[in-house]
Amino acid sequence: MDLNETLRRVYRCMRVGVPALLIICSTVSLPHASANATMDQAEQADEHAVGKTIPSLKESENKDMKRRVAIIIDDFGNGQGGTEEMLAMPVKLTAAVMPFLPTSRKDAEAAHKKGFDVIVHMPMEPKQGNPKWLGPGAITANMSDAEVRKRVEDAIDQIPYAIGMNNHMGSKITGDERIMSIVLEVCRERGLFFVDSKTNYRSVVGKLAVKMGMPPVANHIFLDDQHTSSHISKQMQLVEAWANEHQNCITIGHVGVQGKKTAEAIKSRVTSGMQNNVNFVGIGDMVKEVWGWDPAPILPSKSN
């Protein structure tokens, strides 16, 4: 049984009151991959350098249903290239908006008005890389528990209509159980899920999420880890293939210097027939449908 299948079963058991089965989590170790060291080093070139395929969601029990694809677009919030093009996409996307930036609120409101899902793109310290890429309000490993909690709460309050969160960079933080436990606790209190962007193959997010009764949501494929139209188009083909095999696929692209190129490549694949083969859904739709996650927030958001 692979790790994701184990996590899926444990999560289901917890939802029906069988916490004893959590012992499964402590007995499962991630498979060793020869590329791990390379992947850890690659983040110095930003999160795009991470490999393309990582463990899947649970497969849907209804094999006849149309496959689902959730496209998350990171780095909204700073007037980045491709912002308008992404917001004009003919299918539903999820806008991951960085907090504390000039257009954070504007981009979140525009995405919500379009009918897209909105999540917080939370800056987190990487193992390597340029600190300037983090942006304001980042979580770093030297912070106290109270400081981490305040950063997460403030970030959620910054982004209107946020229903979830994912990590911006963060290979160091997503491997830190102390910090990620606090991040997930705040998300749970506020009714948000957390999407592990998978910038670190040794991430503890999935394990902690299941332990806390939250869905272990994770990225499968980066679309624009190489900034060429042909590569992004190829990645979209991989997304469709992944969805066909596993029923669901979560994929991440970006606005930014090459954002217009990414938007053009996505739109080209979508309109050339892909939308006839898969359902493009918001990440919130997928999390609700796959994991049954529909929480009532314990603490209301100040931003909505």
Side-chain angles (χ1 to χ4, degrees), residues 186-255:
V186 176
C187 285
R188 184 175 61 180
E189 290 173 355
R190 302 292 283 269
L192 276 61
F193 52 85
F194 190 95
V195 182
D196 186 354
S197 297
K198 284 293 184 180
T199 59
N200 176 8
Y201 273 88
R202 299 179 180 88
S203 171
V204 298
V205 175
K207 176 183 71 173
L208 290 175
V210 169
K211 184 177 180 181
M212 297 172 70
M214 298 174 68
V217 193
N219 174 39
H220 297 117
I221 297 172
F222 278 115
L223 292 175
D224 49 3
D225 51 326
Q226 296 178 32
H227 297 299
T228 65
S229 297
S230 61
H231 177 76
I232 299 166
S233 180
K234 179 182 177 183
Q235 294 301 92
M236 285 292 287
Q237 293 178 53
L238 289 177
V239 166
E240 184 173 357
W242 186 284
N244 284 331
E245 182 177 354
H246 302 283
Q247 310 300 119
N248 305 284
C249 184
I250 297 171
T251 185
I252 292 179
H254 301 77
V255 294

Side-chain angles (χ1 to χ4, degrees), residues 80-146:
Q80 299 272 35
T83 295
E84 292 183 4
E85 288 79 3
M86 291 296 187
L87 291 175
M89 201 66 64
V91 294
K92 188 170 184 178
L93 302 179
T94 297
V97 185
M98 294 184 69
F100 314 112
L101 291 175
T103 66
S104 295
R105 182 171 291 273
K106 175 185 174 183
D107 288 354
E109 290 175 344
H112 176 74
K113 185 176 181 180
K114 172 72 176 180
F116 294 171
D117 285 354
V118 175
I119 62 175
V120 180
H121 193 42
M122 189 73 212
M124 296 181 174
E125 182 180 356
K127 292 179 180 178
Q128 302 181 60
N130 189 337
K132 294 180 180 179
W133 294 343
L134 277 174
I139 294 174
T140 56
N142 61 354
M143 288 181 171
S144 68
D145 291 5

Side-chain angles (χ1 to χ4, degrees), residues 14 33 44 77-78 197 243 291 293-294 299:
M14 287 189 64
Q44 63 188 329
N78 203 27
S197 297
W291 286 282
W293 174 258
D294 190 19
L299 299 176

Side-chain angles (χ1 to χ4, degrees), residues 154-186:
D154 289 348
I156 294 171
D157 289 338
Q158 266 272 310
I159 308 300
Y161 307 110
I163 60 171
M165 178 179 290
N166 73 341
N167 52 291
H168 172 63
M169 304 180 74
S171 59
K172 186 171 186 177
I173 300 303
T174 54
D176 188 314
E177 291 199 19
R178 175 184 73 89
I179 294 179
M180 285 311 305
S181 292
I182 299 167
V183 172
L184 293 178
E185 182 179 27
V186 176

